[in-house]
Each structure stands twice: as structure tokens, then as C-alpha cells.
Amino acid sequence: ISIFFFSQEKQERVIIPHIRLKAESKKGHISLRWAVDEPLAWQKANKTGFQLKRYVLMRDGKLLEKPEEKDLGIFKPATETEWKKVVEKNDNAAIVAQSLFGETFEVEMGEKQGKLEGVVNKSQEVDQRFAYALMAADLDFEVAKLAGWGYTDKDVKANERYLYTVTINQNSNSGTIVIVQKGDAVASVSTNTELPKPLDFIGIFKDKTVTLSWEYLQLRDTYTSYYVEKSENGSAFKSLGDLPVMNMNDADGRQAQGMTFVDSLAQNNSKFSYRIRGKTIFGDYGPYSDAVSGEGKKSLETTP
């Protein structure tokens, strides 16, 4: 019985949602990106909006006795009319708009989806809206700003250091009260805007296939997606489609150490080269990795 009560207490532990805020410093501006980390709270927060404030902490290397506060405004998703102007040309905008305003949001998991999978899919609809909306916003910073989850502060000075805070706007007329921990980040104008190269990029060539692998965990806070480019026999590198490679393997608190990508080769005994580069949630591309090259080799089909 004591074990039973313990398990009940563990399951009923209250999870308090947080606003996760990230800042990127550039020479003439500071970009901000935020998100609520729990689906139901995220859905409610989009109705009330987010309040963004900035505090000047330091000036000319000296800590101010009283931080100078500036209200940067209330941020909410754009209206459906504004979304309609961009969804026809931008797939990421279409995903976010459907997540915010669509009557239904069902993800097709394949042609053989049965009735049970359909029921589960329906019950997880809020989770799916949440996950796909944030993923699409991570791929396009302009879409994130249209959704009220991003901002670029251009009124910044090189001799100042700032604290940004994002809270839920509880003064809205929506009648919804959301209990979410605020998000904050410290930033200052940066003169160094260089991004790191992808790490440990290798290629394993086999029979008309190649498996590419690179380190993910160390740069996960810098890059959320990667783009793969390919060259054959010394020709110019070409991107393998418009879609990025993203990590979908984190689960139950376990973080993936690396990422893999498998590509087919048109033929063996011909030189192919690959390179990758990462993209940040603010829309910036990092430098290319070192290229890896190799040839496909026919596998041995007989053994002694």
C-alpha cells in the first residue's frame, strides 16, 4: 500500500510551464525568440499574448543602481487575414497558421493507419499542434515573429548590457489566466558574429549508399536543423532538396549524441562528396563542414 501511495504522489506532481527565451546578439541588433514549453499552456498563452520588457543593467562597464525599464510591447499571433497573405508561398507559415486557427490538425502517419491509431491521433491533437507549430517556427524566424514568438530589438547600444523578460499578458480581455514562469535572457551587442562549423562529420560508403554522421549534442543550442549538399566527380555542390535534417530522437530525457543521414548513390566506383551546414532559429546559416568523399563499393555476396 505504501508503494501505491508513493506512485500516486509521484504521478500527481505539479508541472509548472516555463517560457523559454533565447537571445542572439549581432553588431546592430539583438534578436529574441521565445516559446512556452507545455502544450495546453502554449495554447492559452497564444490567446492572451506575451509581454516583453527590457532592462538596461550596465552602461560603459558600470552596473546601474536602478535598471532602466522599457516596455517593448504585447505580442500575439497575427490575424487570420495577415496569415493568408503568406501561407500560399510559405509552408512553415501554413503549418503554424493551421496549428493556431485550424478546426482540425491531424498528422498522417502512413496509409496503413488503423482506427486505434486514428483515435490516439485525435486525442493528441493539442500536442501535435504544439510540436509542429514550434518546429515550423524554428525553421523560419519571420514566421515566428508573425506568430508573436519573436522580436528584433534594433534600439540597442554597444556600451550597454540588457536583461530581457517575457511574461504572459494577464491583462488581456480573453478571460484566460495562465500560470507560466517568466523567461529571461541577458544580452549585449556583439562584434563577433561567427558561428561554429559542424563537428565530426564523416561518411561511410557502401553498395550504392552512404551513411553520413555528425555530432549533434554540443551544438544543439546553436543549430536546430542542418542542410546536406552533394557533389559528383568534382561538380558543384547541390542541396539535397529544400527540407532540412532535424533531430527527432530525443525521448524520455535521453538526448541524441549524433545525427545520421542516409543517401543513395547513382552508381558505384564514382566519387561523391558531401558537406553540411547548420541553421539557427534566427535564420542564420553557419559555415560549411569539411567535405567528405568516397565511392560506393559492391558488397561481397559470398563467403568461404
Side-chain angles (χ1 to χ4, degrees), residues 243-255:
L243 297 177
V245 180
M246 302 184 70
N247 172 46
M248 298 292 184
N249 295 321
D250 288 349
D252 300 326
R254 297 190 304 271
Q255 297 178 347

Side-chain angles (χ1 to χ4, degrees), residues 117-135:
E117 287 86 347
V119 171
V120 173
N121 194 44
K122 190 71 176 178
S123 69
Q124 295 177 342
E125 188 170 304
V126 175
D127 291 358
Q128 291 174 352
R129 288 176 186 265
F130 168 74
Y132 278 85
L134 293 188
M135 179 181 70

Side-chain angles (χ1 to χ4, degrees), residues 175-226:
T176 303
I177 297 178
V178 191
I179 306 301
V180 179
Q181 291 281 357
K182 70 174 182 177
D184 47 41
V186 176
S188 57
V189 176
S190 174
T191 56
N192 179 21
T193 59
E194 291 186 7
L195 291 168
K197 289 172 62 173
L199 304 172
D200 300 333
F201 182 51
I202 63 172
I204 301 173
F205 291 81
K206 296 183 179 180
D207 188 4
K208 292 187 178 180
T209 64
V210 60
T211 300
L212 304 174
S213 174
W214 61 94
E215 208 284 333
Y216 165 74
L217 191 58
Q218 290 187 50
L219 298 179
R220 65 169 297 173
D221 290 334
T222 303
Y223 301 124
T224 55
S225 59
Y226 291 85

Side-chain angles (χ1 to χ4, degrees), residues 28-41:
H29 64 268
I30 296 174
S31 294
L32 304 165
R33 174 83 166 79
W34 59 85
V36 179
D37 62 2
E38 196 277 327
L40 289 175

